[in-house]
Amino acid sequence: MTARRALQAILTVAVIGVVFSGVLTYRELFGAVGRCPSPGAPGTVFGYPACVYGFFMYLLITGLAVAGLRAKS
């Protein structure tokens, strides 16, 4: 597997992760309930659902994979 093919695979998984965690984040923050659980409630990290952190981590990985694919080597 070449480096370019590996970056394409990483980008594919990262985009799927962004979409999935984005949907979960939207539902948690703006869904039918309309409010996040209180800080310290089960399933939260510093007062936010874990999917929020997953969204930003997948977004970071997506950006890094795109930068790697655009780089001239």
Side-chain angles (χ1 to χ4, degrees):
M1 178 179 284
T2 64
R4 183 164 182 81
R5 180 63 77 188
L7 282 172
Q8 289 171 343
I10 291 168
L11 180 62
T12 302
V13 171
V15 168
I16 292 168
V18 165
V19 171
F20 181 70
S21 61
V23 168
L24 290 177
T25 298
Y26 179 79
R27 285 185 180 177
E28 285 288 328
L29 296 179
F30 307 110
V33 176
R35 61 186 166 95
C36 286
S38 62
T44 64
V45 179
F46 299 119
Y48 292 104
C51 57
V52 174
Y53 298 105
F55 174 74
F56 286 109
M57 292 304 289
Y58 276 119
L59 201 60
L60 176 68
I61 293 169
T62 301
L64 291 173
V66 167
L69 286 171
R70 288 189 177 181
K72 306 263 182 181
S73 55

